[in-house]
Amino acid sequence: MNRAPSKHPKPAARRPRAPHGAARAWLALLPLALLLAGCDRQRSVMPSRATGELPDQEVSDFVLTETDEGAIQWKLYARYSATYNARNVVVARGVRVDFYDDRGERSSELTAREGEIQLQSRNMTARGSVVLQTREGTRMSTEEIRFLNREQKIISPVEQLVRVERSGDVLKGYGFESDPGLKHFEFKKNVSAVLHTQSGGGVLKREGEGR
């Protein structure tokens, strides 16, 4: 009588053990890995570049509106803002400010790479590729300007070059002052202008007053 061959289970293959040194190294790195994983989940807080202080509040898509007896004077938009309570200031990036006239219509638009707003006075400073464009087509460009809220006046640092384009004319100079609608502006010094004539030519004028 033939017997079926017995089937004995084969012993399970042993997994190779890591060297004791490698295991100790992995355990030593485990706390660091857990710390880095926790940092990835934390909210990023950006310190002020000027002082190194941390902001009290950070907001994306920030909006600030200034009114006078219910009428909108200007409205500021920013992609990012940080509020510093100790200095009573808001630092904003990706700035746009819409200015409104007495009829409540938007008269001009200012854009800049960054800005600062004093919360108490609502005075503003705009820096980096600053452009002020009016509804009528007048365009001012510079690298830094200040807006005085109470006086409703825009001024530039005396050392900052300002360029104004209007109706084909180009004026450049220093010590710029204007209203937000660029209806009445002037340069304090070193003014040069290219004035286009009806025939399409240009006349260069130097050391004059702005218009």
Side-chain angles (χ1 to χ4, degrees):
M1 185 173 184
N2 296 330
R3 291 184 178 179
S6 60
K7 297 180 180 180
H8 297 286
K10 294 183 180 180
R14 294 184 178 181
R15 299 177 59 184
R17 288 187 176 181
H20 292 294
R24 286 195 297 269
W26 185 86
L27 290 174
L29 292 174
L30 179 60
L32 178 60
L34 292 175
L35 177 61
L36 293 176
C39 289
D40 288 341
R41 292 191 295 268
Q42 292 179 358
R43 183 168 177 261
S44 174
V45 177
M46 301 179 64
S48 168
R49 288 181 293 178
T51 64
E53 63 181 318
L54 294 176
D56 297 285
Q57 184 181 20
E58 294 179 289
V59 177
S60 298
D61 299 325
F62 176 76
V63 180
L64 179 64
T65 302
E66 176 76 351
T67 62
D68 182 17
E69 297 182 354
I72 298 178
Q73 290 190 313
W74 51 263
K75 185 177 288 189
L76 178 143
Y77 304 86
R79 289 197 304 268
Y80 165 86
S81 72
T83 302
Y84 299 88
N85 292 333
R87 293 189 286 131
N88 198 31
V89 69
V90 173
V91 176
R93 297 176 188 168
V95 176
R96 189 189 97 209
V97 182
D98 292 340
F99 292 100
Y100 293 82
D101 58 22
D102 296 336
R103 297 174 295 178
E105 298 179 355
R106 192 175 71 169
S107 60
S108 61
E109 176 186 280
L110 182 146
T111 56
R113 186 172 61 245
E114 60 185 22
E116 291 186 7
I117 305 99
Q118 297 291 331
L119 290 177
Q120 186 171 2
S121 64
R122 300 297 180 97
N123 292 340
M124 291 184 281
T125 301
R127 300 185 183 93
S129 302
V130 180
V131 174
L132 180 62
Q133 180 83 40
T134 72
R135 186 175 52 194
E136 292 80 12
T138 304
R139 185 180 189 270
M140 183 221 69
S141 57
T142 185
E143 284 302 312
E144 180 177 345
I145 62 166
R146 290 190 63 206
F147 171 67
L148 306 180
N149 185 49
R150 183 176 180 179
E151 296 85 352
Q152 290 292 296
K153 180 185 293 186
I154 288 176
I155 62 175
S156 70
V158 66
E159 73 280 1
Q160 190 67 58
L161 177 65
V162 176
R163 174 188 175 101
V164 176
E165 303 169 57
R166 183 171 68 178
S167 302
D169 300 337
V170 179
L171 295 94
K172 298 179 183 179
Y174 297 84
F176 180 79
E177 292 188 7
S178 176
D179 61 281
L182 297 179
K183 295 185 180 300
H184 307 284
F185 63 85
E186 65 176 340
F187 295 89
K188 297 297 185 181
K189 63 176 185 176
N190 298 341
V191 183
S192 65
V194 177
L195 308 177
H196 286 263
T197 64
Q198 294 182 353
S199 61
V203 178
L204 179 64
K205 182 181 69 175
R206 295 184 180 276
E207 298 298 333
E209 286 294 327
R211 294 180 295 172

